[in-house]
Each structure stands twice: as structure tokens, then as C-alpha cells.
Amino acid sequence: MTVTDERRTASPTWESVLPRGRRYVALPMRSKPVLVAQRDRHVLRYVRRSLLTRPRASRLPGLLDAAALRTLRVPGVWRAIPSVRPSVRVEPGSAALTEWLDECGYRTLLLQPSCDADASCLVMLFRPGAPEPSFVLKVPECPGASARLAAEASRLRVLAAAPMASVQGTVPEQVRVDVPAQVLATTALTGTPMLVEVRRSGHTRRPAAVGRDFTAAGAWLAALQCARTGPSAPLDVPDSTLEAADTVLSSWFGDRSLALSALVVLRRALRRYTAPQTVVHGDFWPGNILMRNGELTGVVDWERTEAAGSPVRDLARFAVTYSLHLDAGTPPGGRVRGHPDLVAGSDAGGVGYLLEADGWYPQLVREYLAAGLRRLGVPASLAGHVVLVELAAMAAEATDADSSLRLWRMFTEMCRPQR
């Protein structure tokens, strides 16, 4: 099955946004880069330290090799990478932004982190000589992305009035940028995405390292969720998840009854219990969590936030998404090092491993889930239910067809009677 991705046929965004007259490094290639960094030693050091990792699936086949990544982390190697400069005419819609970036004097780093058709690119702004960015701009690449940015800006304004003192300093603040072009500007937070460490060789094989990740995530969620923003409400399966299962699964599998029946059973079981409503991040996963020396320093990308929602969603999403990345770097069919009961590319994947296997990792995550649920007044025995519901919610939210299909298949596999 194919998916239409407007970026695949559009002109390279970086050439129509980044200022002229500067030298950049584009990885992996000029025509379809995922990362374009200004040739500045502080910017390149940030890339080496905080961004280079082993992606699960990417347009970067050359960067999937661990040896190549180790080589790119050596500072001198970057001098051998050819510089590139923008060579196309600035598009009318982005001319003002390009001029502003040129005049402000900030060093620039552009990322295209998502393959979603309505994704935005990120432009990180570094003050001259600064080791980390000060601001982040989200720049839409298509009309769909503009709508998402407008929604995120609205949610950030609501979030600013929410009781967030307990996590103050770990949430980006919206700032005004005097640019006619539609962009969303926020303060930048310090730290390295947890996902970078998760995907680096050996991290998920070490119980102590994984334990620190879950401890940090659980502590931050406890701080965020200590303030109630609404009355207690029944746990539930989102209507949007049920609707997606009904419409999407029939076209992919022909028989949607298994997944729908499972969701109805989960809804019936969950509705017997309530939890307080709190601020919900909505996409709390390692890619949106920043770490420094084992401490959580920030959480970014609040476009799915709710001022009053079910806190079990953030709790479960972190467990699901972390588990999905355990087999990164392991060839399909191979045993995952450190997790002998997990086979890379298996139908149930890391979620099945989490819920059904024995061993240190499933036990660690179950304890994390149990502690979080008990804190919210929910029986720990519902951990499997909330994990499956969140897996289905992720499948329903995915705008990339391949990702959505993979998650729905995983959910359906987990719901088969023999399991």
C-alpha cells in the first residue's frame, strides 16, 4: 500500500527557507536531506552529540550502519563532507522568513523529522558561540501542516494558563516572531532526546539505563498529573479510535470484526473505573523527551495536548513507544540482544513482549505502569487494557499509512483468541 507524501515531490524545503550566503552540511544528500546544519563548530557539535542515532526506518540507508555513525561523531570527519549552499529561488511564501533568519544572525539547523504528509520542518536557532539552540521554529511545508501548527499554537496558549508550576522549566514557551510567514516559535529546551540514547547501541540491553529512563518519565508524569484540571471521569476508548478501526481496517484486512470486538470489550472493562482529569501531553514518547545526565530536562511537541484529559494515556504511551524501539538495529527474525524472548519484526513486537513475556524488561515496565495507575486511583490489573487501547489510539492517529498498518496489525495480533 502506498501513501501520498507531499514532501516527496516538493522542492527541498531547506533551499527555500535557509539564508543564502552561508555554508551548510546536508545529510544524507542535497536533494532529500533530513538534516541541514550550518557549518559552524557549535552547531555541528550539537548534531554529533544530540541527534545522530540509528533510526528504525529512514531515508538514510547510509546512516543505518553503526560504524558510519561512529565515524560521523568524530569532529574531524565533518571537514571532509562537502559544503552546500541554497541554489533555488526563494519562494514567495518563505521569503520573509529567509530574510529574517539572515538578519537575526542566528546559526541555523534544519530538521525534517517526520515522513507524515502534513508534517512541519524544524529550524533550530543558535546564538553565535552557543552550544545549544535558543529557539525552535516550526515551518509548515503544506496546507495541512499549517492547520496543525495553528492548532498547536492555540493549545500552547491554553496550556500557558494551566496549573503547570510543578513542571515549570520543562515545557517550551511560545514566543512571538516578527515574520509575516506562518511559523510557530518556541523557546528551546536543553538536553538530548531520550530516543537518541534508546537507539544507540547497547542502551536497551542495560537494565540500569532503561530503569533510569522509566524512573525519569514516571516522576515527570507524577509531577504533571498532581494538579487536577477536571472532575474524575470514566476510563474509555476514544471514539476516534473506534471510528478508525471501523473505516480503516475494513479496507486493509477485509474483516474488522476482531479488532472492533476487542475495542468494545476494552471499553466495557475500562468504563467501570474513573481517574482524575489532568493536563495530558498526548504524545509522550522518547522522541519528545529531553534528557541530560540521566535527568529529564524538557518535553516538547505539545500539538496533541489536552487541558483536561485522561492521564493514563501518557502513562501507557511511553511504555508502548519505548517497547516498540527495543528491536531497532536488529535484523528481522533475529533475537534482540538483552531480550532473548523478543524477535525483531515479530507480529506482536515489543508490545507483545511487554505484556506476555518474562524477564527484567517486562517486569520493569509492568512495575512502572502499576505504580502510575495506583497513583491515579486505578487498579494495577488494568495495565494490559490501557496499553492495548493506547496502541490502537496510536494506529488511529498515524497519518503515515505504513506506520498505521503496522500498529493495527500488532493490535489485531494481540487480540487473537489464542492470546
Side-chain angles (χ1 to χ4, degrees):
M1 184 172 184
T2 59
V3 59
T4 300
D5 187 339
E6 295 184 31
R7 282 203 342 219
R8 293 176 185 171
T9 56
S11 1
T13 301
W14 74 274
E15 292 196 292
S16 61
V17 172
L18 295 181
R20 271 83 193 121
R22 303 184 188 181
R23 296 186 303 149
Y24 301 93
V25 174
L27 298 176
M29 62 187 69
R30 179 193 184 97
S31 60
K32 288 186 178 180
V34 174
L35 180 153
V36 182
Q38 185 169 341
R39 194 173 277 281
D40 173 270
R41 64 188 181 92
H42 298 288
V43 175
L44 295 181
R45 184 183 299 127
Y46 176 82
V47 171
R48 292 194 302 272
R49 183 186 69 243
S50 298
L51 298 179
L52 288 183
T53 183
R54 290 169 64 94
R56 167 180 294 279
S58 172
R59 296 173 297 167
L60 304 178
L63 295 187
L64 290 176
D65 182 77
L69 288 173
R70 286 194 295 270
T71 301
L72 285 169
R73 294 194 189 113
V74 177
V77 171
W78 291 77
R79 289 194 291 270
I81 301 177
S83 295
V84 296
R85 298 176 186 267
S87 62
V88 299
R89 181 177 57 86
V90 178
E91 298 173 6
S94 59
L97 175 60
T98 302
E99 293 173 1
W100 182 85
L101 288 172
D102 194 25
E103 292 173 0
C104 73
Y106 287 101
R107 308 305 188 244
T108 53
L109 165 63
L110 184 143
L111 298 171
Q112 299 183 89
S114 174
C115 291
D116 293 348
D118 56 352
S120 300
C121 66
L122 304 181
V123 180
M124 296 183 171
L125 304 181
F126 296 70
R127 290 190 173 95
E132 296 199 349
S134 299
F135 303 100
V136 177
L137 309 182
K138 280 191 174 182
V139 184
E141 301 184 39
C142 63
S146 298
R148 284 179 63 169
L149 283 188
E152 183 175 0
S154 175
R155 290 186 175 98
L156 284 174
R157 288 191 291 270
V158 172
L159 198 65
M164 303 278 286
S166 54
V167 293
Q168 189 173 15
T170 62
V171 180
E173 298 179 3
Q174 188 174 3
V175 296
R176 296 192 62 179
V177 177
D178 189 19
V179 177
Q182 183 179 11
V183 299
L184 174 62
T186 66
T187 53
L189 302 174
T190 61
T192 297
M194 182 188 289
L195 184 65
V196 170
E197 292 300 328
V198 168
R199 286 177 171 171
R200 283 179 177 168
S201 178
H203 185 87
T204 56
R205 300 199 299 266
R206 300 193 296 269
V210 175
R212 285 193 295 270
D213 292 343
F214 275 86
T215 297
W220 186 87
L221 285 177
L224 174 71
Q225 297 166 353
C226 68
R228 297 191 177 194
T229 55
S232 293
L235 303 180
D236 204 351
V237 176
D239 289 337
S240 58
T241 302
L242 287 166
E243 293 168 2
D246 187 28
T247 57
V248 175
L249 291 180
S250 59
S251 62
W252 281 346
F253 296 118
D255 180 10
R256 63 188 186 277
S257 58
L258 177 60
L260 282 174
S261 297
L263 288 170
V264 170
V265 170
L266 288 168
R267 166 173 272 189
R268 188 180 303 123
L270 290 175
R271 280 181 165 179
R272 296 201 296 266
Y273 303 93
T274 62
Q277 293 187 82
T278 69
V279 172
V280 175
H281 180 275
D283 197 15
F284 188 69
W285 75 293
N288 288 334
I289 299 171
L290 305 181
M291 302 287 288
R292 176 62 52 81
N293 298 324
E295 300 291 329
L296 190 152
T297 57
V299 179
V300 298
D301 199 1
W302 290 75
E303 68 177 65
R304 295 187 182 276
T305 189
E306 297 177 63
S310 174
V312 302
R313 294 204 60 190
D314 283 344
L315 186 75
R317 180 157 298 205
F318 181 78
V320 170
T321 52
Y322 200 105
S323 300
L324 290 175
H325 288 90
L326 291 178
D327 62 356
T330 303
R335 296 281 176 178
V336 179
R337 294 183 64 185
H339 309 276
D341 293 332
L342 177 60
V343 177
S346 59
D347 290 337
V351 179
Y353 175 61
L354 157 64
L355 294 181
E356 299 178 344
D358 297 320
W360 67 267
Y361 178 81
Q363 182 63 31
L364 185 155
V365 183
R366 289 168 194 162
E367 290 174 356
Y368 153 84
L369 289 167
L373 291 173
R374 285 194 293 264
R375 172 173 49 79
L376 297 169
V378 176
S381 58
L382 291 181
H385 291 61
V386 299
V387 162
L388 287 176
V389 169
E390 197 58 27
L391 176 63
M394 289 169 55
E397 292 171 6
T399 58
D400 173 65
D402 294 336
S403 299
S404 181
L405 179 57
R406 174 173 172 267
L407 294 172
W408 276 124
R409 280 179 171 160
M410 190 175 295
F411 176 80
T412 303
E413 180 66 21
M414 293 298 302
C415 296
R416 294 193 185 283
Q418 63 265 31
R419 294 189 176 274

